[in-house]
Amino acid sequence: LFAIVIKIIFHPLQAKSQKSIRKMQEIQPKISALKEKYKNDTQRISQETMKLYKKEGVNPVGGCLPMLPQMPIFLSLYFLFTTTIELRQAPFALWVTDLSLPDELVIGGFSLRLLPLLVALSMFIQQKLTMKDPKQAILVYTMPLLMGFFFWSMSSGFNLYWVLFNTMTAGQQFIANRSLK
C-alpha cells in the first residue's frame, strides 16, 4: 500500500521526467550531428549543444531531478526495514517470514532469494520500455544484474517495496509509450 501511495504522490514528477527523457531522445540525432560537425572542438560542441537544448526547450537533467525528492523516502525505508525491532520476525505473506531479513524460498532443497531476482527482472522490463538508443543496450542488461546483486542481501520488506515500485513505473512507462503511438 505504501508503494502505491508513494507512486500516486510522485506520479506528476515521474510523468515530467518521462517527457524530458523523451525530448532528449528526440534531439539525440541532432546532438550526434553536432559532435560529428565539431569533432575537434569540444568547447564548440558544448556551446552548440547548450544552444540546441535552449532552442528545443530541453533540460538535460530533467529526467533525473524528479528522483531527488524520492531519495529521502528510499533511504528511510532502507533504515526502517533493517533497524526497526518491530519488523523483526514479522511474517508478511507466502515465503516472506521476516520483513527485516532477506527472503528465502526453498525449492527442491535449494535456497533461493526470489525478491532480488524480481528486482532485477522488473528493472530489466522497465529499462527495456525506456530504451530507444541501441547504444544503451549494454545498460539494459548490466544494470538489472548489478541491482540484483546489490539487493541480494537487502531486507525482504525493502526488496518488496522496490519490486512493486519498479513494476508500477514499468506500467506507467508502458501506458505512456502506447499513448505516444
Side-chain angles (χ1 to χ4, degrees):
L1 288 174
F2 185 75
I4 292 168
V5 168
I6 293 300
K7 193 66 185 161
I8 290 169
I9 290 170
F10 286 108
H11 175 74
L13 287 175
Q14 184 69 32
K16 189 172 183 174
S17 172
Q18 288 174 340
K19 185 178 178 183
S20 179
I21 290 169
R22 219 174 298 118
K23 279 185 175 181
M24 284 295 291
Q25 289 171 344
E26 289 172 7
I27 67 165
Q28 199 59 44
K30 294 178 183 179
I31 293 173
S32 296
L34 287 174
K35 288 180 181 178
E36 186 61 35
K37 185 176 180 181
Y38 304 110
K39 59 183 166 190
N40 295 327
D41 189 358
T42 55
Q43 187 174 7
R44 183 75 188 264
I45 291 171
S46 296
Q47 290 172 345
E48 294 298 322
T49 302
M50 293 310 281
K51 284 180 189 176
L52 180 64
Y53 288 155
K54 193 171 189 176
K55 177 185 165 194
E56 298 287 336
V58 175
N59 183 352
V61 293
C64 301
L65 285 178
M67 291 204 47
L68 287 178
Q70 297 175 45
M71 290 306 291
I73 294 169
F74 181 74
L75 291 172
S76 298
L77 284 172
Y78 171 77
F79 289 115
L80 171 80
F81 286 116
T82 56
T83 60
T84 304
I85 303 275
E86 290 82 12
L87 291 177
R88 298 203 184 195
Q89 299 175 347
F92 180 68
L94 304 173
W95 73 96
V96 180
T97 58
D98 190 338
L99 289 173
S100 66
L101 294 175
D103 67 313
E104 190 173 322
L105 180 64
V106 179
I107 300 175
F110 293 102
S111 178
L112 177 69
R113 293 185 181 169
L114 188 59
L115 289 174
L117 297 175
L118 291 175
V119 165
L121 178 65
S122 66
M123 186 168 217
F124 174 76
I125 292 168
Q126 181 184 356
Q127 287 192 340
K128 200 76 165 154
L129 287 169
T130 57
M131 186 195 77
K132 301 289 184 229
D133 185 7
K135 294 176 187 173
Q136 296 175 341
I138 191 73
L139 286 175
V140 172
Y141 298 106
T142 55
M143 281 302 289
L145 290 175
L146 182 65
M147 291 304 279
F149 177 76
F150 180 70
F151 278 80
W152 192 259
S153 61
M154 298 283 183
S155 68
S156 57
F158 190 66
N159 274 320
L160 184 62
Y161 169 79
W162 200 250
V163 167
L164 291 173
F165 197 82
N166 274 352
T167 303
M168 288 184 285
T169 302
Q172 186 180 7
Q173 185 65 45
F174 179 75
I175 291 168
N177 289 352
R178 289 202 90 180
S179 68
L180 285 175
K181 293 179 181 178

